[in-house]
Amino acid sequence: MDACGTQAAAAAAGGEGTQRTLYPYVTGNSVIAMKYKDGVIMACDTGASYGSTLRYKSVERIKAVGKHSLIGGSGEFSDFQEILRYLDELTLSDHMWDDGNSLGPKEIHAYLTRVMYNRRNKFDPLWNSLVLGGVKKGPKGDEKYLGMVNMIGTHFEDNHLATGFGNHMAIPILRAEWREDMTFEEAIKLIEKCLLVLLYRDRSSINKFQIAKITTEGSTIYPPYALKTNWGFSAFENPSKGAVGTW
Amino acid sequence: MVGSMDVPAKGGFSFDLCRRNDMLEKKGLKVPGFRKTGTTIVGLVFADGVVLGADTRATEGPIVADKNCEKIHYMAPNIYCCGAGTAADTEAVTDMVSSQLQLHRYATSRESRVVTALTLLKTHLFSYQGHVSAALVLGGVDCTGPHLHTVYPHGSVDTLPFATMGSGSLAAMSVFESKYKEGLTRDEGIELVCGAIRAGIFNDLGSGSNVDVCVITKGKTEYLRNHELPNPRTYASSKGFSFVQGHTEVLSTKITPLKPKPEVTVGDAMEE
């Protein structure tokens, strides 16, 4: 990656010491999330690539935020870590109010939207697509929340979300097969279906996934595990069987 | 540009104008774009043969040019080809190879093989270096069994148990990757192909309208045109509209009889 070129470009762009994110270096993969009966489930793989090299293989891209939320991030990993620091400050000062109230997922999503949009307006974006999910007791009982913000500040809520390549490969499956009030086991099966498709067809995906869930009891981030893949189609074994010598 | 072009080109791509085109582009000439089909096309191999599927939307940029076009092209009685990319290119290339296959059948008195169509397609596309923008899913059943291939615009080919191409290929591939298994029955194969095309229709803007399916087995080909219509016109009343006389107030009536047409007697045939 051309670090010297970035600085030269920044200096040439005008004003010394101007720092702008021009392109991402270490990038995380897709994140998939969906609501289910007891709360929100989120999953992603644990890899971070440095361009076309698979540099880090044990990276946690889903973190708990406060008591009620989970955040998952894809895109530039250093920007994701910076966002986690901002959220730490936010939850800390919220805790120090000591007023019995705590920030719910909707509030944190709104905060992140402001942060991302303002950085984009300064032409110095945080190069991420973030998924924010959680459950909090509201006036109508336990309200599940799932929202997304990306690097230009586009934000929305939905019953199921995906970032990056997941938009093209996981969302069609989720749109066809997601139902209201899925049990935890059904939700895991559906998410694993999406993760497997991404593993087969996204070149930067690795076979090491983490699933996290958040319910009214709190958040749980499960240890990483691998999915079983099937490469044994008989058609793959000898593709040129019909015409020897072809390519 | 002058003098060196006396000998007609023997075939394949002529690179004579490439330097001039590069120079023009550097000077700011905007190269005209191509009309694409924006498509979802799929194919899969099942127990007894192959099933091909396609959507039916043809786009010109952001506009839907044809709501119900045919993307599954005839190559031979036992071989069909779905085409994505530039509509003119897919039509022309499949037509051309279909004619060559017919001539070959006359010469050999044998049923065409899928690898023959494959070789004709890939050598043609390779010689045009990707400028013929045709991405094809070729499937058929011949004496050596069922075959499914994908052909890319630059001329490379793949032999696969299931394949998707076009702008909706990712949505369709997600359905295939999660549900395909070997040894499907005919109905399961058709259902899976329809599911994949529906995923493309509803999740990709370049694909839409209806689902075409083609099932090829040994000795029998079924072209199921508009097998599914998942986008019916729901706002038009199925009973139609009846306008009974008396609903609209008639202010005045004027009747003008038209002049009677002159009778034309049959005359002599025209001299050529």
Side-chain angles (χ1 to χ4, degrees), chain B residues 37-39 55 57 59 61-62 64 167-168 200-208:
Chain B
T37 51
T39 299
D55 75 307
R57 173 183 284 185
T59 49
V64 176
S167 55
I201 286 175
F202 292 119
N203 292 295
D204 173 45
L205 297 175
S207 313

Side-chain angles (χ1 to χ4, degrees), chain B residues 263-271:
Chain B
E263 270 268 317
V264 180
T265 50
V266 179
D268 292 335
M270 230 166 56
E271 294 271 330

Side-chain angles (χ1 to χ4, degrees), chain A residues 138-151:
Chain A
K140 295 188 207 129
D142 286 334
E143 283 166 21
K144 300 174 274 211
Y145 185 89
L146 183 60
M148 183 167 116
V149 198
N150 71 3
M151 66 184 263

Side-chain angles (χ1 to χ4, degrees), chain A:
Chain A
M1 290 290 126
D2 187 15
C4 308
T6 320
Q7 284 179 343
E16 301 196 12
T18 45
Q19 295 279 334
R20 302 160 46 162
T21 311
L22 290 169
Y23 17 74
Y25 288 97
V26 178
T27 48
N29 230 356
S30 332
V31 175
I32 316 177
M34 60 189 204
K35 292 186 190 170
Y36 74 108
K37 189 158 70 94
D38 308 323
V40 173
I41 230 182
M42 208 181 281
C44 69
D45 72 356
T46 62
S49 321
Y50 185 57
S52 53
T53 319
L54 181 48
R55 177 70 180 83
Y56 303 102
K57 295 206 250 188
S58 294
V59 149
E60 240 189 59
R61 292 191 291 113
I62 299 185
K63 293 283 186 186
V65 180
K67 284 194 285 226
H68 304 285
S69 322
L70 280 177
I71 182 172
S74 70
E76 171 59 59
F77 194 60
S78 60
D79 284 344
F80 181 61
Q81 290 169 322
E82 191 67 3
I83 288 170
L84 291 176
R85 253 189 5 96
Y86 291 159
L87 290 174
D88 265 347
E89 286 177 16
L90 182 75
T91 43
L92 188 67
S93 58
D94 179 54
H95 185 70
M96 289 201 293
W97 278 105
D98 201 17
D99 55 2
N101 196 10
S102 50
L103 289 171
K106 202 174 173 126
E107 288 83 63
I108 304 207
H109 187 221
Y111 172 77
L112 285 173
T113 309
R114 293 296 100 222
V115 166
M116 301 298 268
Y117 187 65
N118 277 298
R119 287 290 296 258
R120 159 261 174 110
N121 284 343
K122 292 189 243 172
F123 282 91
D124 182 19
L126 291 161
W127 209 286
N128 294 108
S129 283
L130 307 165
V131 178
L132 207 300
V135 205
K136 189 173 173 205
K137 221 179 193 50
K140 295 188 207 129
D142 286 334
E143 283 166 21
K144 300 174 274 211
Y145 185 89
L146 183 60
M148 183 167 116
V149 198
N150 71 3
M151 66 184 263
I152 53 174
T154 313
H155 61 282
F156 52 90
E157 278 181 63
D158 208 342
N159 291 322
H160 41 68
L161 291 169
T163 65
F165 223 71
N167 269 313
H168 295 107
M169 304 225 74
I171 293 275
I173 300 178
L174 293 170
R175 280 185 182 164
E177 298 184 25
W178 182 86
R179 286 172 297 107
E180 193 80 55
D181 287 340
M182 296 176 86
T183 64
F184 183 61
E185 287 72 36
E186 290 173 334
I188 292 270
K189 268 188 78 177
L190 185 55
I191 267 213
E192 281 187 350
K193 206 180 214 185
C194 298
L195 290 174
L196 193 58
V197 173
L198 283 171
L199 176 61
Y200 282 135
R201 294 282 162 174
D202 182 0
R203 80 168 192 174
S204 44
S205 186
I206 61 170
N207 195 0
K208 191 172 167 193
F209 300 101
Q210 258 194 318
I211 298 206
K213 74 167 190 216
I214 180 141
T215 59
T216 41
E217 271 108 58
S219 59
T220 319
I221 303 182
Y222 292 96
Y225 69 106
L227 290 174
K228 217 163 77 76
T229 54
N230 174 28
W231 301 92
F233 291 119
S234 62
F236 286 154
E237 273 161 40
N238 193 3
S240 59
K241 196 163 61 143
V244 177
T246 186
W247 44 271

